[in-house]
Amino acid sequence: MSNVVEINNLMKSYENGHIKALNGIDLTIWEGEFVSIIGPSGSGKSTLLNMLGALDLPDSGSINVAGYDLTSNKKLNEFRAKKIGFVFQLHNLIPNLSVVENIEIPMFTSNLSNSEMRSKALSLLEQVGLKDKASQKPSKLSGGERQRVAIARALANDPSIILADEPTGSLDSKTSNKILKLLIDLHKSNNVTLIIVTHDMDVARLADRIIEVLDGQLVNTSDDSLLENKIDVE
Ligand SMILES: Nc1ncnc2c1ncn2[C@@H]1O[C@H](COP(=O)(O)OP(=O)(O)OP(=O)(O)O)[C@@H](O)[C@H]1O
Ligand SMILES: [Mg+2]
């Protein structure tokens, strides 16, 4: 197994160093692993996820994801476009584009023709069970349906890693379970590395490994007993 994330002594502060959001993180994540990140509000979970997706640069330390050095400021657009699928709590769909057009956006950096993009977007919509909504505007969809569109969009470039920050935070529990099952199925069938930030321990426990963040540092980075207790969502 090779590692897809290698982080050493990563530091990130805000407000001229007064807020140490990440205070010396060391972390390795294997290709195809499903990891959940938990911790109290303000502990640094989103900051860590943003570093993993190169949405923000660290102050110091090293971070290598999918073979890209994310401290170097080079090729970061290429990295984000090719390697990462993001799913956020607020799905950020573009309101005046149809569902299928929203899914095509990440494909514009690929070499696909228009018709190839369309058929790929439709097959992704089929995977998330929304093919019949392809020409709808996002405003006509329910919260759970929008989140499924966001997941389809996150998969549009065949990312090696899906980063999900509270992907079910705004949804009811039944819809949340559906969304999670979808993410986990995609992770299993496509061997995508899945990294989910969550407040919900029931969600966290579904992962291969739980990572706990406290005051910008990691605690309990591995606990084999959690693997034994692993349960599947139905
Ligand atoms: N852009 C920013 N400017 C200033 N401070 C920030 C910024 N982003 C985050 N912080 C601070 O950094 C710390 C870590 O924030 P972060 O968003 O990573 O927490 P979190 O664990 O994701 O919390 P939550 O569970 O509430 O989403 C907090 O003290 C937060 O206020
Ligand atoms: Mg957060």
Side-chain angles (χ1 to χ4, degrees):
M1 265 201 311
S2 56
N3 49 5
V4 69
V5 171
E6 183 66 52
I7 292 179
N8 290 297
N9 201 21
L10 201 70
M11 312 284 265
K12 175 69 182 181
S13 61
Y14 295 109
E15 312 288 334
N16 292 324
H18 290 300
I19 297 173
K20 290 188 166 45
L22 297 179
N23 195 6
I25 300 276
D26 294 298
L27 176 63
T28 301
I29 294 175
W30 303 107
E31 217 171 280
E33 199 176 358
F34 170 17
V35 170
S36 57
I37 300 176
I38 60 166
S41 181
S43 57
K45 304 181 297 295
S46 294
T47 305
L48 177 58
L49 211 72
N50 290 347
M51 298 290 141
L52 286 167
L55 293 181
D56 205 353
L57 286 171
D59 299 338
S60 64
S62 67
I63 174 165
N64 192 292
V65 181
Y68 286 75
D69 174 0
L70 303 189
T71 56
S72 77
N73 216 348
K74 285 187 206 135
K75 294 192 184 175
L76 294 186
N77 286 331
E78 176 188 296
F79 164 79
R80 283 186 290 260
K82 289 192 175 164
K83 296 292 177 184
I84 299 292
F86 288 103
V87 184
F88 297 104
Q89 179 171 357
L90 298 170
H91 35 73
N92 301 322
L93 298 177
I94 297 176
N96 50 356
L97 295 182
S98 69
V99 160
V100 73
E101 288 164 343
N102 264 281
I103 295 170
E104 286 167 358
I105 294 169
M107 299 182 202
F108 287 119
T109 56
S110 71
N111 298 321
L112 298 178
S113 69
N114 285 349
S115 66
E116 287 168 329
M117 286 198 280
R118 182 55 49 101
S119 67
K120 184 165 183 185
L122 289 172
S123 102
L124 286 165
L125 269 177
E126 194 163 25
Q127 273 194 67
V128 301
L130 286 177
K131 204 171 180 183
D132 56 327
K133 304 280 187 190
S135 49
Q136 282 286 13
K137 294 277 158 54
S139 60
K140 305 271 168 139
L141 305 185
S142 72
E145 287 169 341
R146 287 178 208 179
Q147 202 57 316
R148 276 143 72 195
V149 176
I151 290 171
R153 184 185 53 185
L155 292 167
N157 276 348
D158 305 311
S160 24
I161 306 170
I162 295 178
L163 301 174
D165 198 347
E166 300 276 359
T168 61
S170 56
L171 305 172
D172 63 79
S173 66
K174 196 171 154 219
T175 314
S176 296
N177 284 341
K178 268 198 210 157
I179 298 290
L180 283 169
K181 186 171 179 342
L182 178 64
L183 278 172
I184 294 168
D185 285 349
L186 293 166
H187 144 75
K188 283 183 184 158
S189 58
N190 304 4
N191 197 36
V192 185
T193 307
L194 177 60
I195 304 174
I196 295 185
V197 170
T198 182
H199 277 108
D200 184 341
M201 271 315 288
D202 290 337
V203 173
R205 269 191 281 269
L206 299 170
D208 300 321
R209 180 156 56 120
I210 298 176
I211 289 169
E212 190 177 352
V213 185
L214 200 62
D215 296 332
Q217 298 184 319
L218 298 191
V219 284
N220 295 340
T221 44
S222 77
D223 183 346
D224 288 342
S225 66
L226 290 166
L227 287 175
E228 285 158 29
N229 294 333
K230 199 180 160 196
I231 39 167
D232 279 319
V233 262
E234 284 310 330

